[in-house]
PDB file of all heavy atoms in Angstrom:
ATOM      1  N   VAL A   8     -28.933  -9.367  36.791  1.00 99.00           N
ATOM      2  CA  VAL A   8     -27.832  -9.666  35.871  1.00 99.00           C
ATOM      3  C   VAL A   8     -27.254  -8.346  35.392  1.00 99.00           C
ATOM      4  O   VAL A   8     -27.922  -7.588  34.684  1.00 99.00           O
ATOM      5  CB  VAL A   8     -28.301 -10.510  34.674  1.00 99.00           C
ATOM      6  CG1 VAL A   8     -27.077 -10.954  33.860  1.00 99.00           C
ATOM      7  CG2 VAL A   8     -29.103 -11.710  35.135  1.00 99.00           C
ATOM      8  N   GLY A   9     -26.022  -8.063  35.793  1.00 98.00           N
ATOM      9  CA  GLY A   9     -25.360  -6.829  35.379  1.00 98.00           C
ATOM     10  C   GLY A   9     -24.894  -6.011  36.565  1.00 98.00           C
ATOM     11  O   GLY A   9     -25.712  -5.534  37.353  1.00 98.00           O
ATOM     12  N   GLY A  11     -23.408  -3.033  36.584  1.00 98.00           N
ATOM     13  CA  GLY A  11     -23.162  -1.630  36.264  1.00 98.00           C
ATOM     14  C   GLY A  11     -23.918  -0.761  37.259  1.00 98.00           C
ATOM     15  O   GLY A  11     -24.409  -1.248  38.294  1.00 98.00           O
ATOM     16  N   GLY A  12     -24.029   0.525  36.936  1.00 98.00           N
ATOM     17  CA  GLY A  12     -24.717   1.434  37.846  1.00 98.00           C
ATOM     18  C   GLY A  12     -26.170   1.046  38.073  1.00 98.00           C
ATOM     19  O   GLY A  12     -26.687   1.121  39.189  1.00 98.00           O
ATOM     20  N   THR A  13     -26.841   0.595  37.015  1.00 98.00           N
ATOM     21  CA  THR A  13     -28.254   0.244  37.152  1.00 98.00           C
ATOM     22  C   THR A  13     -28.422  -0.959  38.072  1.00 98.00           C
ATOM     23  O   THR A  13     -29.265  -0.955  38.976  1.00 98.00           O
ATOM     24  CB  THR A  13     -28.852  -0.060  35.759  1.00 98.00           C
ATOM     25  OG1 THR A  13     -28.552   1.041  34.888  1.00 98.00           O
ATOM     26  CG2 THR A  13     -30.346  -0.246  35.828  1.00 98.00           C
ATOM     27  N   GLU A  32     -22.179 -10.345  37.820  1.00 98.00           N
ATOM     28  CA  GLU A  32     -21.488  -9.480  36.862  1.00 98.00           C
ATOM     29  C   GLU A  32     -20.400 -10.328  36.202  1.00 98.00           C
ATOM     30  O   GLU A  32     -19.572 -10.924  36.889  1.00 98.00           O
ATOM     31  CB  GLU A  32     -20.878  -8.265  37.578  1.00 98.00           C
ATOM     32  CG  GLU A  32     -19.836  -7.506  36.787  1.00 98.00           C
ATOM     33  CD  GLU A  32     -20.292  -7.057  35.392  1.00 98.00           C
ATOM     34  OE1 GLU A  32     -21.369  -6.455  35.277  1.00 98.00           O
ATOM     35  OE2 GLU A  32     -19.559  -7.344  34.410  1.00 98.00           O
ATOM     36  N   LYS A  33     -20.399 -10.340  34.876  1.00 98.00           N
ATOM     37  CA  LYS A  33     -19.474 -11.261  34.201  1.00 98.00           C
ATOM     38  C   LYS A  33     -18.012 -10.824  34.319  1.00 98.00           C
ATOM     39  O   LYS A  33     -17.107 -11.649  34.215  1.00 98.00           O
ATOM     40  CB  LYS A  33     -19.865 -11.445  32.739  1.00 98.00           C
ATOM     41  CG  LYS A  33     -19.771 -10.219  31.866  1.00 98.00           C
ATOM     42  CD  LYS A  33     -20.241 -10.540  30.452  1.00 98.00           C
ATOM     43  CE  LYS A  33     -20.245  -9.290  29.591  1.00 98.00           C
ATOM     44  NZ  LYS A  33     -20.681  -9.543  28.219  1.00 98.00           N
ATOM     45  N   GLY A  39     -18.463  -2.611  32.516  1.00 97.00           N
ATOM     46  CA  GLY A  39     -19.210  -2.383  31.274  1.00 97.00           C
ATOM     47  C   GLY A  39     -19.166  -0.921  30.907  1.00 97.00           C
ATOM     48  O   GLY A  39     -18.093  -0.312  30.816  1.00 97.00           O
ATOM     49  N   THR A  40     -20.310  -0.303  30.729  1.00 98.00           N
ATOM     50  CA  THR A  40     -20.337   1.106  30.331  1.00 98.00           C
ATOM     51  C   THR A  40     -20.118   2.036  31.520  1.00 98.00           C
ATOM     52  O   THR A  40     -19.423   3.056  31.397  1.00 98.00           O
ATOM     53  CB  THR A  40     -21.696   1.437  29.676  1.00 98.00           C
ATOM     54  OG1 THR A  40     -21.877   0.576  28.551  1.00 98.00           O
ATOM     55  CG2 THR A  40     -21.754   2.872  29.200  1.00 98.00           C
ATOM     56  N   THR A  41     -20.672   1.681  32.675  1.00 98.00           N
ATOM     57  CA  THR A  41     -20.706   2.654  33.778  1.00 98.00           C
ATOM     58  C   THR A  41     -19.324   3.115  34.212  1.00 98.00           C
ATOM     59  O   THR A  41     -19.124   4.299  34.485  1.00 98.00           O
ATOM     60  CB  THR A  41     -21.475   2.058  34.979  1.00 98.00           C
ATOM     61  OG1 THR A  41     -22.774   1.668  34.543  1.00 98.00           O
ATOM     62  CG2 THR A  41     -21.608   3.073  36.097  1.00 98.00           C
ATOM     63  N   HIS A  44     -17.804   5.953  31.467  1.00 96.00           N
ATOM     64  CA  HIS A  44     -18.401   7.159  30.891  1.00 96.00           C
ATOM     65  C   HIS A  44     -17.645   8.391  31.403  1.00 96.00           C
ATOM     66  O   HIS A  44     -16.785   8.289  32.266  1.00 96.00           O
ATOM     67  CB  HIS A  44     -19.901   7.228  31.184  1.00 96.00           C
ATOM     68  CG  HIS A  44     -20.273   7.517  32.598  1.00 96.00           C
ATOM     69  ND1 HIS A  44     -20.195   8.774  33.130  1.00 96.00           N
ATOM     70  CD2 HIS A  44     -20.728   6.714  33.586  1.00 96.00           C
ATOM     71  CE1 HIS A  44     -20.599   8.729  34.379  1.00 96.00           C
ATOM     72  NE2 HIS A  44     -20.914   7.490  34.689  1.00 96.00           N
ATOM     73  N   HIS A  45     -17.959   9.570  30.866  1.00 93.00           N
ATOM     74  CA  HIS A  45     -17.065  10.682  31.195  1.00 93.00           C
ATOM     75  C   HIS A  45     -17.489  11.491  32.405  1.00 93.00           C
ATOM     76  O   HIS A  45     -16.877  12.497  32.728  1.00 93.00           O
ATOM     77  CB  HIS A  45     -16.672  11.542  30.010  1.00 93.00           C
ATOM     78  CG  HIS A  45     -17.791  12.064  29.156  1.00 93.00           C
ATOM     79  ND1 HIS A  45     -19.062  12.219  29.590  1.00 93.00           N
ATOM     80  CD2 HIS A  45     -17.759  12.466  27.876  1.00 93.00           C
ATOM     81  CE1 HIS A  45     -19.790  12.693  28.594  1.00 93.00           C
ATOM     82  NE2 HIS A  45     -19.032  12.852  27.546  1.00 93.00           N
ATOM     83  N   GLY A  46     -18.524  11.058  33.101  1.00 97.00           N
ATOM     84  CA  GLY A  46     -18.729  11.593  34.446  1.00 97.00           C
ATOM     85  C   GLY A  46     -19.461  12.916  34.529  1.00 97.00           C
ATOM     86  O   GLY A  46     -19.167  13.738  35.390  1.00 97.00           O
ATOM     87  N   LEU A  47     -20.429  13.112  33.658  1.00 98.00           N
ATOM     88  CA  LEU A  47     -21.255  14.308  33.791  1.00 98.00           C
ATOM     89  C   LEU A  47     -22.511  13.948  34.575  1.00 98.00           C
ATOM     90  O   LEU A  47     -23.292  13.086  34.148  1.00 98.00           O
ATOM     91  CB  LEU A  47     -21.641  14.838  32.402  1.00 98.00           C
ATOM     92  CG  LEU A  47     -22.690  15.950  32.358  1.00 98.00           C
ATOM     93  CD1 LEU A  47     -22.240  17.175  33.156  1.00 98.00           C
ATOM     94  CD2 LEU A  47     -22.987  16.358  30.914  1.00 98.00           C
ATOM     95  N   HIS A  49     -25.729  15.008  34.832  1.00 98.00           N
ATOM     96  CA  HIS A  49     -26.518  15.899  33.978  1.00 98.00           C
ATOM     97  C   HIS A  49     -27.489  16.736  34.798  1.00 98.00           C
ATOM     98  O   HIS A  49     -28.167  16.218  35.688  1.00 98.00           O
ATOM     99  CB  HIS A  49     -27.340  15.076  32.983  1.00 98.00           C
ATOM    100  CG  HIS A  49     -26.546  14.497  31.864  1.00 98.00           C
ATOM    101  ND1 HIS A  49     -26.331  15.169  30.682  1.00 98.00           N
ATOM    102  CD2 HIS A  49     -25.909  13.313  31.729  1.00 98.00           C
ATOM    103  CE1 HIS A  49     -25.613  14.421  29.863  1.00 98.00           C
ATOM    104  NE2 HIS A  49     -25.336  13.289  30.479  1.00 98.00           N
ATOM    105  N   VAL A 168     -24.041 -14.963  33.682  1.00 98.00           N
ATOM    106  CA  VAL A 168     -25.281 -15.729  33.490  1.00 98.00           C
ATOM    107  C   VAL A 168     -25.276 -16.219  32.045  1.00 98.00           C
ATOM    108  O   VAL A 168     -25.240 -15.412  31.108  1.00 98.00           O
ATOM    109  CB  VAL A 168     -26.518 -14.869  33.805  1.00 98.00           C
ATOM    110  CG1 VAL A 168     -27.794 -15.583  33.365  1.00 98.00           C
ATOM    111  CG2 VAL A 168     -26.563 -14.542  35.290  1.00 98.00           C
ATOM    112  N   ALA A 202     -30.299  -6.310  33.769  1.00 98.00           N
ATOM    113  CA  ALA A 202     -29.731  -4.952  33.854  1.00 98.00           C
ATOM    114  C   ALA A 202     -28.367  -4.971  33.174  1.00 98.00           C
ATOM    115  O   ALA A 202     -27.391  -4.431  33.693  1.00 98.00           O
ATOM    116  CB  ALA A 202     -29.625  -4.509  35.319  1.00 98.00           C
ATOM    117  N   ALA A 203     -28.319  -5.629  32.016  1.00 98.00           N
ATOM    118  CA  ALA A 203     -27.034  -5.900  31.360  1.00 98.00           C
ATOM    119  C   ALA A 203     -26.605  -4.797  30.397  1.00 98.00           C
ATOM    120  O   ALA A 203     -25.733  -5.017  29.543  1.00 98.00           O
ATOM    121  CB  ALA A 203     -27.103  -7.251  30.650  1.00 98.00           C
ATOM    122  N   GLY A 204     -27.186  -3.606  30.535  1.00 98.00           N
ATOM    123  CA  GLY A 204     -26.735  -2.451  29.740  1.00 98.00           C
ATOM    124  C   GLY A 204     -26.775  -2.769  28.250  1.00 98.00           C
ATOM    125  O   GLY A 204     -27.755  -3.334  27.747  1.00 98.00           O
ATOM    126  N   PRO A 205     -25.705  -2.414  27.516  1.00 98.00           N
ATOM    127  CA  PRO A 205     -25.735  -2.666  26.070  1.00 98.00           C
ATOM    128  C   PRO A 205     -25.728  -4.151  25.705  1.00 98.00           C
ATOM    129  O   PRO A 205     -25.956  -4.502  24.558  1.00 98.00           O
ATOM    130  CB  PRO A 205     -24.464  -1.966  25.563  1.00 98.00           C
ATOM    131  CG  PRO A 205     -23.634  -1.703  26.759  1.00 98.00           C
ATOM    132  CD  PRO A 205     -24.527  -1.663  27.951  1.00 98.00           C
ATOM    133  N   TRP A 206     -25.478  -5.027  26.701  1.00 98.00           N
ATOM    134  CA  TRP A 206     -25.525  -6.478  26.466  1.00 98.00           C
ATOM    135  C   TRP A 206     -26.907  -7.053  26.783  1.00 98.00           C
ATOM    136  O   TRP A 206     -27.103  -8.263  26.736  1.00 98.00           O
ATOM    137  CB  TRP A 206     -24.455  -7.188  27.306  1.00 98.00           C
ATOM    138  CG  TRP A 206     -23.074  -6.810  26.909  1.00 98.00           C
ATOM    139  CD1 TRP A 206     -22.303  -7.416  25.947  1.00 98.00           C
ATOM    140  CD2 TRP A 206     -22.294  -5.720  27.421  1.00 98.00           C
ATOM    141  NE1 TRP A 206     -21.092  -6.760  25.840  1.00 98.00           N
ATOM    142  CE2 TRP A 206     -21.064  -5.718  26.724  1.00 98.00           C
ATOM    143  CE3 TRP A 206     -22.504  -4.744  28.385  1.00 98.00           C
ATOM    144  CZ2 TRP A 206     -20.062  -4.777  26.982  1.00 98.00           C
ATOM    145  CZ3 TRP A 206     -21.506  -3.812  28.626  1.00 98.00           C
ATOM    146  CH2 TRP A 206     -20.298  -3.828  27.936  1.00 98.00           C
ATOM    147  N   LEU A 210     -28.527 -10.986  26.524  1.00 98.00           N
ATOM    148  CA  LEU A 210     -29.079 -11.760  27.650  1.00 98.00           C
ATOM    149  C   LEU A 210     -30.511 -12.188  27.328  1.00 98.00           C
ATOM    150  O   LEU A 210     -30.896 -13.344  27.554  1.00 98.00           O
ATOM    151  CB  LEU A 210     -29.038 -10.941  28.941  1.00 98.00           C
ATOM    152  CG  LEU A 210     -29.429 -11.759  30.159  1.00 98.00           C
ATOM    153  CD1 LEU A 210     -28.293 -12.686  30.590  1.00 98.00           C
ATOM    154  CD2 LEU A 210     -29.827 -10.871  31.323  1.00 98.00           C
ATOM    155  N   MET A 227     -14.069   8.996  23.952  1.00 97.00           N
ATOM    156  CA  MET A 227     -13.728  10.113  24.835  1.00 97.00           C
ATOM    157  C   MET A 227     -12.215  10.293  24.870  1.00 97.00           C
ATOM    158  O   MET A 227     -11.480   9.325  24.664  1.00 97.00           O
ATOM    159  CB  MET A 227     -14.262   9.853  26.258  1.00 97.00           C
ATOM    160  CG  MET A 227     -15.769   9.897  26.336  1.00 97.00           C
ATOM    161  SD  MET A 227     -16.434   8.876  27.679  1.00 97.00           S
ATOM    162  CE  MET A 227     -16.264   7.232  26.987  1.00 97.00           C
ATOM    163  N   THR A 262     -18.067  13.934  23.231  1.00 93.00           N
ATOM    164  CA  THR A 262     -17.852  12.566  22.837  1.00 93.00           C
ATOM    165  C   THR A 262     -18.407  12.407  21.436  1.00 93.00           C
ATOM    166  O   THR A 262     -18.841  13.399  20.829  1.00 93.00           O
ATOM    167  CB  THR A 262     -18.554  11.585  23.819  1.00 93.00           C
ATOM    168  OG1 THR A 262     -18.497  10.252  23.322  1.00 93.00           O
ATOM    169  CG2 THR A 262     -19.978  11.938  24.109  1.00 93.00           C
ATOM    170  N   ALA A 305     -16.850   3.798  25.203  1.00 96.00           N
ATOM    171  CA  ALA A 305     -17.849   3.030  25.945  1.00 96.00           C
ATOM    172  C   ALA A 305     -19.073   2.927  25.047  1.00 96.00           C
ATOM    173  O   ALA A 305     -19.144   3.594  24.004  1.00 96.00           O
ATOM    174  CB  ALA A 305     -18.195   3.740  27.252  1.00 96.00           C
ATOM    175  N   ARG A 307     -23.237   3.084  24.796  1.00 96.00           N
ATOM    176  CA  ARG A 307     -24.528   3.448  25.408  1.00 96.00           C
ATOM    177  C   ARG A 307     -25.559   2.349  25.144  1.00 96.00           C
ATOM    178  O   ARG A 307     -25.638   1.854  24.017  1.00 96.00           O
ATOM    179  CB  ARG A 307     -25.075   4.746  24.799  1.00 96.00           C
ATOM    180  CG  ARG A 307     -24.207   5.959  24.991  1.00 96.00           C
ATOM    181  CD  ARG A 307     -24.724   7.103  24.125  1.00 96.00           C
ATOM    182  NE  ARG A 307     -23.836   8.259  24.148  1.00 96.00           N
ATOM    183  CZ  ARG A 307     -22.740   8.401  23.407  1.00 96.00           C
ATOM    184  NH1 ARG A 307     -22.371   7.445  22.565  1.00 96.00           N
ATOM    185  NH2 ARG A 307     -22.005   9.490  23.488  1.00 96.00           N
ATOM    186  N   GLY A 345     -31.572   4.904  29.454  1.00 96.00           N
ATOM    187  CA  GLY A 345     -31.211   5.764  30.575  1.00 96.00           C
ATOM    188  C   GLY A 345     -29.785   6.297  30.524  1.00 96.00           C
ATOM    189  O   GLY A 345     -29.092   6.232  29.498  1.00 96.00           O
ATOM    190  N   LYS A 346     -29.376   6.858  31.660  1.00 97.00           N
ATOM    191  CA  LYS A 346     -28.063   7.497  31.819  1.00 97.00           C
ATOM    192  C   LYS A 346     -27.500   7.048  33.167  1.00 97.00           C
ATOM    193  O   LYS A 346     -28.261   6.639  34.053  1.00 97.00           O
ATOM    194  CB  LYS A 346     -28.213   9.025  31.891  1.00 97.00           C
ATOM    195  CG  LYS A 346     -28.937   9.696  30.773  1.00 97.00           C
ATOM    196  CD  LYS A 346     -28.136   9.746  29.506  1.00 97.00           C
ATOM    197  CE  LYS A 346     -26.815  10.459  29.643  1.00 97.00           C
ATOM    198  NZ  LYS A 346     -25.984  10.326  28.438  1.00 97.00           N
ATOM    199  N   ALA A 347     -26.216   7.241  33.358  1.00 98.00           N
ATOM    200  CA  ALA A 347     -25.662   6.988  34.696  1.00 98.00           C
ATOM    201  C   ALA A 347     -26.320   7.940  35.701  1.00 98.00           C
ATOM    202  O   ALA A 347     -26.507   7.598  36.868  1.00 98.00           O
ATOM    203  CB  ALA A 347     -24.155   7.169  34.681  1.00 98.00           C
ATOM    204  N   THR A 348     -26.676   9.129  35.251  1.00 98.00           N
ATOM    205  CA  THR A 348     -27.342  10.093  36.137  1.00 98.00           C
ATOM    206  C   THR A 348     -28.673   9.553  36.655  1.00 98.00           C
ATOM    207  O   THR A 348     -29.094   9.892  37.762  1.00 98.00           O
ATOM    208  CB  THR A 348     -27.578  11.425  35.374  1.00 98.00           C
ATOM    209  OG1 THR A 348     -26.315  11.922  34.931  1.00 98.00           O
ATOM    210  CG2 THR A 348     -28.269  12.477  36.230  1.00 98.00           C
TER     211      THR A 348
HETATM  212  C1  FAD B 401     -19.322   7.714  25.589  1.00 50.77           C
HETATM  213  C2  FAD B 401     -20.330   7.728  26.693  1.00 50.77           C
HETATM  214  C3  FAD B 401     -20.386   8.790  27.570  1.00 50.77           C
HETATM  215  C4  FAD B 401     -21.347   8.817  28.570  1.00 50.77           C
HETATM  216  N1  FAD B 401     -21.348   9.846  29.450  1.00 50.77           N
HETATM  217  C5  FAD B 401     -22.266   9.899  30.425  1.00 50.77           C
HETATM  218  C6  FAD B 401     -22.242  10.949  31.359  1.00 50.77           C
HETATM  219  O1  FAD B 401     -21.344  11.794  31.327  1.00 50.77           O
HETATM  220  N2  FAD B 401     -23.218  10.998  32.283  1.00 50.77           N
HETATM  221  C7  FAD B 401     -24.212  10.056  32.347  1.00 50.77           C
HETATM  222  O2  FAD B 401     -25.091  10.175  33.186  1.00 50.77           O
HETATM  223  N3  FAD B 401     -24.227   9.001  31.485  1.00 50.77           N
HETATM  224  C8  FAD B 401     -23.279   8.901  30.543  1.00 50.77           C
HETATM  225  N4  FAD B 401     -23.274   7.860  29.661  1.00 50.77           N
HETATM  226  C9  FAD B 401     -24.340   6.843  29.764  1.00 50.77           C
HETATM  227  C10 FAD B 401     -24.070   5.856  30.899  1.00 50.77           C
HETATM  228  O3  FAD B 401     -22.707   5.531  30.956  1.00 50.77           O
HETATM  229  C11 FAD B 401     -24.891   4.585  30.740  1.00 50.77           C
HETATM  230  O4  FAD B 401     -26.230   4.901  30.454  1.00 50.77           O
HETATM  231  C12 FAD B 401     -24.862   3.739  32.001  1.00 50.77           C
HETATM  232  O5  FAD B 401     -23.548   3.625  32.509  1.00 50.77           O
HETATM  233  C13 FAD B 401     -25.411   2.355  31.738  1.00 50.77           C
HETATM  234  O6  FAD B 401     -25.347   1.616  32.947  1.00 50.77           O
HETATM  235  P1  FAD B 401     -25.885   0.138  33.006  1.00 50.77           P
HETATM  236  O7  FAD B 401     -25.679  -0.352  34.387  1.00 50.77           O
HETATM  237  O8  FAD B 401     -27.281   0.097  32.483  1.00 50.77           O
HETATM  238  O9  FAD B 401     -24.978  -0.671  31.969  1.00 50.77           O
HETATM  239  P2  FAD B 401     -23.469  -1.195  32.191  1.00 50.77           P
HETATM  240  O10 FAD B 401     -22.673  -0.273  33.015  1.00 50.77           O
HETATM  241  O11 FAD B 401     -22.927  -1.567  30.863  1.00 50.77           O
HETATM  242  O12 FAD B 401     -23.681  -2.498  33.066  1.00 50.77           O
HETATM  243  C14 FAD B 401     -24.153  -3.706  32.494  1.00 50.77           C
HETATM  244  C15 FAD B 401     -23.255  -4.816  33.027  1.00 50.77           C
HETATM  245  O13 FAD B 401     -23.831  -6.083  32.699  1.00 50.77           O
HETATM  246  C16 FAD B 401     -22.766  -7.008  32.564  1.00 50.77           C
HETATM  247  N5  FAD B 401     -23.288  -8.180  31.876  1.00 50.77           N
HETATM  248  C17 FAD B 401     -23.719  -8.229  30.597  1.00 50.77           C
HETATM  249  N6  FAD B 401     -24.140  -9.494  30.308  1.00 50.77           N
HETATM  250  C18 FAD B 401     -23.980 -10.217  31.439  1.00 50.77           C
HETATM  251  C19 FAD B 401     -24.226 -11.595  31.767  1.00 50.77           C
HETATM  252  N7  FAD B 401     -24.749 -12.459  30.873  1.00 50.77           N
HETATM  253  N8  FAD B 401     -23.923 -12.041  33.029  1.00 50.77           N
HETATM  254  C20 FAD B 401     -23.399 -11.178  33.944  1.00 50.77           C
HETATM  255  N9  FAD B 401     -23.128  -9.866  33.671  1.00 50.77           N
HETATM  256  C21 FAD B 401     -23.430  -9.396  32.434  1.00 50.77           C
HETATM  257  C22 FAD B 401     -21.720  -6.209  31.791  1.00 50.77           C
HETATM  258  O14 FAD B 401     -20.442  -6.759  31.953  1.00 50.77           O
HETATM  259  C23 FAD B 401     -21.861  -4.817  32.401  1.00 50.77           C
HETATM  260  O15 FAD B 401     -20.903  -4.580  33.411  1.00 50.77           O
HETATM  261  C24 FAD B 401     -22.291   7.766  28.688  1.00 50.77           C
HETATM  262  C25 FAD B 401     -22.217   6.681  27.825  1.00 50.77           C
HETATM  263  C26 FAD B 401     -21.243   6.659  26.842  1.00 50.77           C
HETATM  264  C27 FAD B 401     -21.160   5.482  25.939  1.00 50.77           C
END
Side-chain angles (χ1 to χ4, degrees):
V8 188
T13 308
E32 164 54 50
K33 64 182 176 180
T40 302
T41 304
H44 71 77
H45 52 23
L47 170 59
H49 285 271
V168 170
W206 295 271
L210 187 76
M227 291 153 284
T262 172
R307 299 169 187 82
K346 305 287 301 172
T348 301

